[in-house]
Amino acid sequence: METAASRIDLATLDAPPALASVQRIVDGFKDFQVLRAGFASGIFDWLAAHGPAAKSAIAEGTGLRGAHLGGFLQALEDLGLLARRDGGYALAPGMDAVLRADSRWCQAAALDRLLDPAGGWADLGRFLSANWVQSALPASSAERHPLLQEARRLAERLATRDAFANARTLLCFDDADGLLAAALCRRLPQLTATVVVPPEGLRRAEETLAACGVAERCRLLAGSPLDADDGERFDAALLFHALYPVRKSTVAALTATGARLVAGGELCCAHWFCLEACETAPGGLRDLDKAVLTDSHPLCHVEQFDERLQEARLVDIHREDLAGDYGNVKTFFARRPKNFCA
């Protein structure tokens, strides 16, 4: 039975100011769905071929419901994806490069990957829970790989170092599906590489090396930096985001990798590190990006990594910061001594 005490007093239902913060976040999700619907409906490709076009023509050409099309088109315009021209709608200048399905930079697949159950962003709560088990990550073409620009920048830097520019043989533990090895081989035509990736990344790395035209110059293996020494010696070696899974055996991994260099050969380690005491700082989304990409935590104690390299009997240690899409990559260089004795 309804009582006076159970009735809602509408006059008291003033929304708290904090609600606006949550609503802005919710609007971000709605913007995502607008973009996703744009790809799914084919409107971007249709406008690339037929725009500028009036709303009625768009409705007829795409099969979208006219009753809601006005709001949809306005939302796409608000996001900077469409522009009005000559009384109709067209793709905004430059947007065809990322919206058209036939563009190598089309972002439709990137949105699909965010919703793939194998990736952490599809259900971040499940990813953050203690019950999470990483399955095979969604496939990603070379030009759409999340670490592409980082790999390109590091390859560009390495190509300016004599130790890599003059190297003929490379050992590369590449947890970016072979992207760094491919980028470096493209820059250094004399280089041949042994590329080691986790077993679950073997097929993706095969596709990457083939797509970049360097498969014939690369021997691809499944493994980790802790693999047994097979006796082959290399002019240079790389550890690219490859130490996270073996973080409890970092010195052993560095020692094993350094031992596979020729005397005087150079090792480069490029990884993300957390702040002191694993403190956080503004930019938490990028931290979560790194977590989802690696299913791991960044390496700890950047201030002690020089010591780890020394424990691995490496010398001439030097550190640089490499700007990346997810924050700075701590890049360490070290050499196997020329007078090294096993």
Side-chain angles (χ1 to χ4, degrees):
M1 177 179 179
E2 186 181 35
T3 65
S6 67
R7 294 175 189 154
I8 297 173
D9 183 358
L10 298 179
T12 67
L13 293 183
D14 291 330
L19 183 60
S21 297
V22 175
Q23 287 177 329
R24 284 194 296 271
I25 297 169
V26 172
D27 280 347
F29 170 79
K30 294 174 183 177
D31 287 341
F32 172 84
Q33 293 293 358
V34 168
L35 175 57
R36 188 168 170 240
F39 284 121
S41 67
I43 192 173
F44 301 137
D45 291 325
W46 191 90
L47 283 175
H50 304 288
K55 185 175 72 170
S56 57
I58 295 172
E60 182 178 353
T62 62
L64 293 170
R65 288 194 287 168
H68 308 299
L69 187 54
F72 182 48
L73 292 170
Q74 183 63 56
L76 291 170
E77 183 182 2
D78 293 342
L79 290 172
L81 306 177
L82 301 188
R84 298 196 204 200
R85 193 172 76 242
D86 300 331
Y89 290 89
L91 295 183
M95 294 307 300
D96 59 328
V98 292
L99 297 180
R100 286 179 54 168
D102 60 357
S103 169
R104 69 189 310 168
W105 295 104
C106 178
Q107 294 300 294
L111 269 66
D112 289 341
R113 284 197 301 275
L114 288 174
L115 299 176
D116 191 309
W121 283 114
D123 187 344
L124 190 62
R126 188 167 63 91
F127 172 79
L128 293 171
S129 76
N131 297 323
W132 171 263
V133 177
Q134 179 69 63
S135 55
L137 292 174
S140 179
S141 61
E143 62 265 33
R144 294 168 187 150
H145 196 286
L147 293 177
L148 170 62
Q149 300 305 327
E150 194 173 287
R152 291 178 67 245
R153 293 186 193 108
L154 182 55
E156 182 178 356
R157 174 67 185 99
L158 292 173
T160 68
R161 292 184 65 86
D162 289 344
F164 282 86
N166 299 324
R168 303 192 69 84
T169 59
L170 171 72
L171 174 63
C172 185
F173 293 92
D174 190 345
D175 272 24
D177 298 331
L179 269 177
L180 179 56
L184 202 54
C185 284
R186 294 285 296 182
R187 281 188 164 272
L188 303 174
Q190 84 285 358
L191 194 65
T192 60
T194 293
V195 185
V196 186
V197 301
E200 63 273 15
L202 199 58
R203 181 183 60 81
R204 297 194 300 271
E206 285 178 350
E207 294 172 354
T208 295
L209 297 175
C212 294
V214 297
E216 293 183 357
R217 294 164 52 198
C218 296
R219 178 178 60 147
L220 184 59
L221 302 174
S224 87
L226 291 173
D227 289 343
D229 188 347
D230 63 2
E232 186 175 1
R233 297 293 173 260
F234 299 87
D235 298 328
L238 285 168
L239 289 163
F240 187 50
H241 295 301
L243 288 176
Y244 310 124
V246 296
R247 60 191 310 115
K248 294 183 179 179
S249 305
T250 296
V251 173
L254 293 172
T255 301
T257 306
R260 299 177 72 175
L261 289 166
V262 299
E266 186 165 82
L267 168 67
C268 173
C269 302
H271 293 78
W272 294 310
F273 281 80
C274 64
L275 298 180
E276 186 176 352
C278 297
E279 286 291 333
T280 59
L285 277 180
R286 299 292 77 84
D287 288 339
L288 289 172
D289 272 328
K290 289 182 280 191
V292 169
L293 283 171
T294 64
D295 193 30
S296 185
H297 186 277
L299 297 181
C300 298
H301 302 298
V302 66
E303 75 282 358
Q304 297 177 9
F305 202 74
D306 284 24
E307 298 174 24
R308 305 288 178 265
L309 291 164
Q310 291 169 7
E311 290 179 64
R313 304 174 69 183
L314 298 169
V315 299
D316 298 336
I317 299 166
H318 169 66
R319 177 183 134 188
E320 299 177 2
D321 281 353
L322 178 76
D325 294 339
Y326 307 99
N328 284 339
V329 181
K330 304 298 181 182
T331 306
F332 289 82
F333 297 95
R335 288 182 179 272
R336 182 175 183 175
K338 289 186 178 181
N339 59 350
F340 182 86
C341 296

